Amino acid sequence: MRHGGCRAMHWWVDGVAEAGHGFDRIWELAEPREAACAHDPRLVWGNQEMIWTLSCDALTARPSPRTVALAKPKKDFGKHQCRPLFLYSCGRESTIWERPLAVDFAFPSDRLLKLSEPKKCSAAYLRQRPRQSPEWPVSPAARSYKASPRIMELAQPKVLHPEFLLAREVPTRITNAAALARASSRLQRLAEPRVREVTCCYECSFLESVIRPVSKLAQKATASPRTLELARAKRLHPDYMPLRDAEWPVTKAAKHTVATPRLTKLAQPRKRLSTDSAQFNPDAFTVKETAKKATCSARIQDLARPIKR
């Protein structure tokens, strides 16, 4: 689009110049604008020269003490501290610092002792607490108090059930009589597993045979009227229309029919403005006066209400 616009501009300028109107100003404005520093010989990548020239006042100015203090680089406290390399460190220093020997025999300073003191509770918090300590003193009246029979009854521990038996040990001892006993025929019969008939699978037979055997009574049975009524397939609705084919023949009346003026008018495509004129339409976002004064109908208000879920 940019190249097409430039060609159209040059073509229009050439046509105007050939017509003899003398639009030198248009020729001058049509030329691309040069960069401000395109032909500056001082702007070379990698040199130490400044882009802007400094004035004589800036070169001879003296910084204030505050500027000198701010210009000092920040002190690196870890510059002269070499930590040993740990195993598989790949050249990186260990994150664990070694403690010097003087630390074990040194006494903490007053500042460290002050910082190590636990935080004291505020006076307002202590006033709100019911007591200062979780252990509170017992009054003499509570010490010399004699409990009532009801309190003595409630203070007794819960008694176990008279038929309660302690948990038996896991390895039980088998008596000699139980080890040498012989099971009777009744016990051996009861110990046999119950044989159940497998009903989910059937024996293999020829293909024409039924999966489940049908009894002779079921084969000779006669269905009742209710059974015959339930066995009927569901019927279609009387107004049911089957699906139409994708292609169907057109009738002669449809081929020789003549469209009415109304159909001809509706069949004409809608005329729309070009995209160029639609983009620069100043009234594209203006609201008409009739739309401002319009009142929606009751049906529109009903449709505009949100659905209650």
Side-chain angles (χ1 to χ4, degrees):
M1 293 297 292
R2 185 177 296 177
H3 293 292
C6 293
R7 291 177 182 176
M9 185 68 184
H10 284 293
W11 174 81
W12 180 77
V13 172
D14 293 340
V16 174
E18 291 177 359
H21 292 282
F23 287 93
D24 298 335
R25 177 59 177 168
I26 296 177
W27 270 106
E28 183 181 354
L29 294 174
E31 293 180 358
R33 186 177 180 182
E34 296 182 358
C37 301
H39 303 288
D40 196 347
R42 296 186 297 103
L43 295 178
V44 182
W45 177 261
N47 62 357
Q48 301 297 328
E49 297 180 2
M50 300 182 181
I51 299 177
W52 303 97
T53 57
L54 298 178
S55 60
C56 298
D57 297 337
L59 293 173
T60 58
R62 293 183 180 181
S64 61
R66 177 60 177 167
T67 306
V68 175
L70 293 175
K72 290 181 180 179
K74 189 176 181 180
K75 185 179 179 180
D76 188 3
F77 295 94
K79 185 176 182 181
H80 302 289
Q81 296 175 359
C82 298
R83 289 176 289 178
L85 302 180
F86 55 94
L87 190 61
Y88 307 114
S89 62
C90 300
R92 294 174 296 176
E93 296 180 352
S94 176
T95 56
I96 303 175
W97 293 63
E98 294 184 356
R99 297 177 59 189
L101 298 177
V103 174
D104 299 332
F105 302 98
F107 292 96
S109 61
D110 297 338
R111 176 62 177 169
L112 288 178
L113 292 175
K114 184 177 180 181
L115 292 174
S116 61
E117 292 179 358
K119 187 177 181 180
K120 298 180 180 179
C121 299
S122 61
Y125 174 71
L126 295 176
R127 285 195 298 270
Q128 292 178 0
R129 294 186 62 189
R131 55 184 178 272
Q132 300 292 337
S133 174
E135 297 180 0
W136 57 93
V138 184
S139 62
R143 294 177 184 178
S144 59
Y145 177 76
K146 293 183 180 180
S148 61
R150 177 58 179 168
I151 295 178
M152 296 295 295
E153 182 182 356
L154 294 175
Q156 293 180 0
K158 189 176 181 181
V159 183
L160 297 176
H161 195 271
E163 298 180 1
F164 173 76
L165 297 177
L166 296 176
R168 191 172 56 177
E169 297 180 358
V170 177
T172 56
R173 297 180 181 180
I174 302 174
T175 60
N176 295 330
L180 301 176
R182 293 183 179 180
S184 61
S185 58
R186 176 61 178 169
L187 288 178
Q188 291 180 358
R189 183 179 178 183
L190 292 175
E192 293 178 356
R194 186 176 181 180
V195 179
R196 300 180 183 275
E197 184 180 358
V198 180
T199 57
C200 60
C201 301
Y202 297 92
E203 298 180 357
C204 298
S205 58
F206 54 92
L207 299 177
E208 287 77 7
S209 63
V210 294
I211 298 177
R212 297 176 181 270
V214 184
S215 62
K216 294 182 179 180
L217 297 177
Q219 294 178 3
K220 297 179 181 179
T222 303
S224 61
R226 177 59 179 170
T227 305
L228 293 174
E229 183 181 357
L230 295 174
R232 291 178 184 176
K234 188 176 181 180
R235 298 179 182 180
L236 298 174
H237 195 269
D239 299 336
Y240 172 77
M241 297 291 292
L243 296 176
R244 190 170 57 177
D245 297 337
E247 297 181 0
W248 59 89
V250 184
T251 60
K252 293 183 179 180
K255 293 180 181 178
H256 298 285
T257 187
V258 179
T260 60
R262 178 59 178 168
L263 289 176
T264 305
K265 184 178 180 181
L266 293 175
Q268 292 180 358
R270 186 176 181 181
K271 295 181 180 180
R272 292 184 173 86
L273 299 176
S274 60
T275 56
D276 298 336
S277 59
Q279 290 179 357
F280 300 101
N281 185 12
D283 300 333
F285 299 98
T286 56
V287 184
K288 298 180 181 179
E289 296 296 333
T290 55
K292 295 179 181 179
K293 301 177 181 179
T295 306
C296 58
S297 60
R299 176 59 177 167
I300 295 177
Q301 290 181 356
D302 189 11
L303 294 175
R305 293 175 183 173
I307 300 175
K308 295 182 179 179
R309 303 182 185 277

